[in-house]
Amino acid sequence: MPTCRICGSRLREFYDFGKQPLSDAFVPTDRVGEEFFYRLAVGICSSCTLVQLMEEVPRDKMFHEDYPYYSSGSVVMREHFEATARHFLATELTGPDPFIVEIGCNDGVMLGTVAAAGVPHLGVEPSGGVADVARSRGVSVLTDFFEEGTAERVRSEHGPADVVFSANTICHIPYLDSIFAGLDRLLKPGGVFVFEDPYWGDIVERTSFDQIYDEHYYYFTARSVQALARRYGFDLVDVTALPVHGGEIRYTVARKGARPVSGAVTDLIARENERGLTTDETLAAFGAAVTSVKNDLIALLTDLKAKGERVVAYGATAKSATVANLCGLGPGLVEFVCDTTPAKQGRLTPGTHIPVRPAEAFADPYPAYALLFAWNHAAEIMAKETAFSEAGGRWILYVPTVRAVEGKVDAT
Ligand code: SAH
Ligand code: TMP
Ligand code: ZN
């Protein structure tokens, strides 16, 4: 019987996406047939209510030298993380011996600003390729997975930290017992652990089921994070809603009793209970909504194909692996996917084998329809692709429902 990675209680599976490839394993054209597949299914803990994957993919298969996600690929995300760094520089890092550690610093999108300010910092990042880019920006990086042993090493070599920050990474880490043991080693008595991840409340509200894939092991709520923190001698002291990546929460965690608990925490937990975010009814409705989106998207793309319309996808996101594999979207329905990331270009999408081409291929010539796989970056992308709409092109969106639209819209 599968059990909760945190509290050991029974897990109840509520959606099975079937066999899926690794979401970021873009396939070289001469390596087709060598792909790794696992069963993507999501469940909920009957006790602490934490939503989590039923199966765990070994971390070295996902995070390595060739990991192809570079955080700085979006202007909006660069601005978001620059503002985050400035916030820490102005608040938590003003003491005599400031020190900030980032778990999953990627290409240095956040720590670059800290490094430029000359403030002591360390990124812990297991993926060597992205870590090298961070170093080229003047960021100090330890190429390793963060866990208890790494935290001990960082503490003995650099001293204790005021802040441990992590964006879009804690949800990637099944072994949170080791993470919290590491935080206990590493944080100053009054230090904070701040992390931001996609919010289960937004995933339910928008049926953004494509947030569910191998790398995203956990789907947090304020309630489940509070239970998690308390289990390890910490407390959830603040929450802030963020508009990025389709809706996230920034959680601030401190040692038990070290900081007052903001009213925002109790308010959000009360709201989650009112909404019944983890009730059987909500989970069944979510599953039904996923199946509707799947059927509608297959129907729309099959119809466009029958009419001879060209459909190209925009953004070879990790998320799109779930949509494409669930719906069986191969090169027969989607001609290619354009993406600005050199590490993805020239390869094929995992499992579905749609060719990935550079961004310039999009306009050469424009297709009739663009399937927006990077819907979380809709505002940024639609603002720069106005010529596509002016040429009569339509965007196909599937969050929260399937539709084809002209021009600039709020995709979410
Ligand atoms: N913080 C960036 C990157 C998110 S992608 C952003 O928000 O855009 C997730 C990153 O976490 C990847 O770079 C991956 O290599 C890293 N990662 C995965 N497991 C990790 C672990 N145990 N410790 C530290 N980093 C990890
Ligand atoms: P993300 O949704 O996980 O951040 O991934 C976004 C992907 O989309 C990434 O591969 C970069 C790509 N992208 C573009 O190709 N053009 C763009 O304008 C933006 C913002 C992203
Ligand atoms: Zn649990």
Side-chain angles (χ1 to χ4, degrees), residues 59 63 67 69 71 81 102-106 109 124-127 130 144-146 167-169 172-173 175 245:
R59 63 187 190 178
F63 311 115
Y67 183 66
Y69 182 67
S71 304
F81 287 122
E102 184 176 4
I103 304 175
C105 70
N106 198 270
V109 67
V124 182
E125 172 53 67
S127 299
V130 296
D144 207 343
F145 289 93
F146 187 90
N168 307 299
T169 301
H172 293 54
I173 305 179
Y175 42 97
H245 288 316

Coordinates of all heavy atoms in Angstrom, one line a residue, residues 59 63 67 69 71 81 102-106 109 124-127 130 144-146 167-169 172-173 175 245, ligand 1:
R59 N 16.2 10.6 -8.7 CA 16.6 12.0 -9.0 C 17.7 12.2 -10.0 O 17.7 13.2 -10.8 CB 17.0 12.7 -7.7 CG 18.2 12.2 -7.0 CD 18.4 12.8 -5.6 NE 19.7 12.4 -5.1 CZ 20.2 12.9 -3.9 NH1 19.4 13.7 -3.1 NH2 21.4 12.5 -3.4
F63 N 17.9 15.3 -12.9 CA 18.7 16.4 -12.6 C 20.2 16.1 -12.8 O 20.8 15.4 -12.0 CB 18.5 17.0 -11.2 CG 17.0 17.2 -10.9 CD1 16.4 16.4 -10.0 CD2 16.2 18.0 -11.7 CE1 15.0 16.5 -9.7 CE2 14.9 18.2 -11.4 CZ 14.3 17.4 -10.5
Y67 N 20.5 18.8 -17.9 CA 19.2 19.3 -17.5 C 18.9 20.6 -18.3 O 19.7 21.5 -18.3 CB 19.1 19.6 -16.0 CG 17.8 20.1 -15.5 CD1 16.7 19.3 -15.5 CD2 17.6 21.4 -15.0 CE1 15.4 19.7 -15.0 CE2 16.4 21.8 -14.5 CZ 15.3 21.0 -14.5 OH 14.1 21.4 -14.1
Y69 N 16.4 23.0 -18.5 CA 15.6 24.2 -18.1 C 16.5 25.3 -17.6 O 17.1 25.1 -16.5 CB 14.5 23.8 -17.1 CG 13.7 25.0 -16.7 CD1 12.8 25.5 -17.7 CD2 13.7 25.6 -15.5 CE1 12.0 26.6 -17.4 CE2 12.9 26.7 -15.2 CZ 12.1 27.2 -16.2 OH 11.3 28.3 -15.9
S71 N 16.3 29.0 -16.1 CA 15.3 29.9 -15.5 C 15.2 31.3 -16.1 O 14.2 32.0 -16.1 CB 15.6 30.1 -14.0 OG 15.6 28.8 -13.4
F81 N 12.6 37.4 -9.9 CA 13.7 36.9 -9.0 C 14.6 38.1 -8.7 O 15.2 38.1 -7.6 CB 14.4 35.8 -9.6 CG 13.6 34.5 -9.6 CD1 13.3 33.8 -10.7 CD2 13.2 34.0 -8.3 CE1 12.5 32.6 -10.6 CE2 12.4 32.9 -8.2 CZ 12.1 32.1 -9.4
E102 N 20.6 29.2 -1.6 CA 19.5 28.9 -2.4 C 19.6 27.4 -2.9 O 20.6 27.0 -3.4 CB 19.4 29.8 -3.7 CG 18.1 29.5 -4.5 CD 17.9 30.3 -5.7 OE1 18.7 31.2 -6.0 OE2 16.8 30.2 -6.3
I103 N 18.4 26.7 -2.6 CA 18.3 25.3 -3.1 C 17.8 25.3 -4.5 O 16.7 25.8 -4.7 CB 17.4 24.6 -2.1 CG1 17.8 24.7 -0.7 CG2 17.2 23.1 -2.6 CD1 16.9 24.0 0.4
G104 N 18.5 24.8 -5.5 CA 18.1 24.8 -6.9 C 18.2 26.2 -7.5 O 17.3 26.8 -8.0
C105 N 19.4 26.8 -7.5 CA 19.6 28.1 -7.9 C 19.6 28.2 -9.5 O 19.6 29.3 -10.0 CB 20.9 28.7 -7.4 SG 22.4 27.9 -8.1
N106 N 19.7 27.0 -10.1 CA 19.6 27.0 -11.6 C 20.7 27.9 -12.2 O 21.9 27.8 -11.8 CB 18.2 27.3 -12.1 CG 18.0 26.8 -13.5 OD1 18.2 27.6 -14.4 ND2 17.5 25.6 -13.7
V109 N 19.5 33.0 -11.7 CA 18.5 34.0 -12.0 C 18.2 34.9 -10.7 O 18.0 36.1 -10.8 CB 17.2 33.4 -12.6 CG1 16.5 32.5 -11.5 CG2 16.3 34.4 -13.2
V124 N 23.0 25.8 -4.2 CA 23.2 24.4 -4.2 C 22.4 23.8 -5.4 O 21.2 24.0 -5.4 CB 22.8 23.7 -2.9 CG1 23.1 22.2 -2.9 CG2 23.5 24.4 -1.7
E125 N 23.1 23.3 -6.3 CA 22.4 23.0 -7.6 C 23.1 21.7 -8.2 O 24.2 21.8 -8.6 CB 22.6 24.2 -8.6 CG 22.1 24.0 -10.0 CD 20.7 23.5 -10.1 OE1 19.7 24.2 -9.8 OE2 20.5 22.3 -10.5
P126 N 22.3 20.6 -8.3 CA 22.9 19.4 -8.8 C 23.1 19.3 -10.3 O 23.9 18.5 -10.8 CB 21.9 18.3 -8.4 CG 20.6 19.1 -8.4 CD 20.9 20.5 -7.9
S127 N 22.4 20.2 -11.1 CA 22.5 20.1 -12.5 C 23.7 20.9 -13.0 O 23.7 22.2 -13.0 CB 21.2 20.5 -13.2 OG 20.2 19.7 -12.8
V130 N 23.5 24.0 -15.9 CA 22.9 25.3 -15.4 C 23.7 26.0 -14.3 O 23.9 27.2 -14.3 CB 21.4 25.1 -15.0 CG1 20.5 24.7 -16.1 CG2 21.2 24.2 -13.8
D144 N 25.6 20.0 -6.2 CA 25.2 18.8 -5.5 C 23.7 19.0 -5.2 O 23.1 20.0 -5.4 CB 25.9 18.8 -4.1 CG 26.1 17.4 -3.6 OD1 25.3 16.5 -4.0 OD2 26.9 17.2 -2.7
F145 N 23.1 17.9 -4.7 CA 21.7 17.9 -4.2 C 21.7 18.4 -2.8 O 22.6 18.0 -2.0 CB 21.1 16.5 -4.2 CG 20.9 15.9 -5.6 CD1 21.8 15.2 -6.3 CD2 19.7 16.2 -6.2 CE1 21.6 14.7 -7.5 CE2 19.4 15.7 -7.5 CZ 20.4 14.9 -8.2
F146 N 20.8 19.3 -2.5 CA 20.6 19.7 -1.1 C 20.0 18.6 -0.3 O 19.0 18.0 -0.7 CB 19.8 21.0 -1.0 CG 19.8 21.6 0.4 CD1 20.7 22.5 0.8 CD2 18.8 21.2 1.3 CE1 20.7 23.0 2.1 CE2 18.8 21.7 2.6 CZ 19.7 22.6 3.0
A167 N 13.0 28.2 -5.0 CA 11.8 28.5 -5.9 C 11.7 27.3 -6.9 O 12.6 26.9 -7.5 CB 12.0 29.8 -6.7
N168 N 10.5 26.8 -6.9 CA 10.1 25.7 -7.9 C 11.1 24.6 -7.7 O 11.5 23.9 -8.7 CB 10.1 26.3 -9.3 CG 9.2 27.5 -9.4 OD1 8.1 27.4 -9.2 ND2 9.8 28.6 -9.7
T169 N 11.5 24.3 -6.5 CA 12.4 23.2 -6.3 C 12.0 22.3 -5.1 O 12.1 21.1 -5.2 CB 13.8 23.7 -6.0 OG1 14.3 24.5 -7.2 CG2 14.9 22.6 -5.8
H172 N 10.0 19.5 -5.9 CA 10.7 18.5 -6.7 C 11.4 17.4 -5.8 O 12.0 16.5 -6.3 CB 11.9 19.1 -7.5 CG 11.5 20.0 -8.6 ND1 10.7 21.1 -8.4 CD2 11.9 20.0 -9.9 CE1 10.5 21.7 -9.6 NE2 11.2 21.1 -10.5
I173 N 11.4 17.6 -4.5 CA 12.2 16.8 -3.6 C 11.4 15.9 -2.7 O 10.8 16.4 -1.7 CB 13.1 17.8 -2.7 CG1 13.9 18.7 -3.6 CG2 14.0 16.9 -1.8 CD1 14.8 19.7 -2.9
Y175 N 12.3 13.7 -0.4 CA 12.9 13.4 0.9 C 12.9 14.7 1.8 O 14.0 15.2 2.2 CB 14.3 12.8 0.8 CG 15.1 13.4 -0.3 CD1 16.1 14.4 -0.1 CD2 15.0 13.1 -1.7 CE1 16.8 15.0 -1.1 CE2 15.7 13.6 -2.7 CZ 16.6 14.6 -2.4 OH 17.3 15.2 -3.4
H245 N 4.0 31.5 -13.0 CA 3.8 30.1 -13.2 C 2.4 29.6 -13.0 O 2.2 28.4 -12.5 CB 4.9 29.2 -12.4 CG 6.3 29.4 -13.0 ND1 6.6 29.3 -14.3 CD2 7.5 29.5 -12.3 CE1 7.9 29.4 -14.5 NE2 8.4 29.6 -13.3
Ligands
SAH1 N1 14.9 28.1 -8.9 C1 14.7 28.1 -10.4 C2 14.9 26.7 -10.9 C3 13.7 25.7 -10.8 S1 14.0 24.2 -11.7 C4 13.4 28.7 -10.8 O1 12.6 28.9 -10.0 O2 13.3 29.0 -12.0 C5 14.4 23.1 -10.4 C6 15.9 23.1 -10.1 O3 16.1 22.4 -8.9 C7 16.7 22.5 -11.1 O4 17.7 23.4 -11.5 C8 17.3 21.2 -10.5 O5 18.5 20.8 -10.9 C9 17.3 21.6 -9.0 N2 17.2 20.6 -8.0 C10 16.5 19.4 -8.0 N3 16.6 18.7 -6.9 C11 17.4 19.4 -6.1 C12 17.9 19.2 -4.8 N4 17.7 18.1 -4.0 N5 18.7 20.2 -4.3 C13 19.0 21.3 -5.0 N6 18.5 21.6 -6.2 C14 17.7 20.6 -6.8

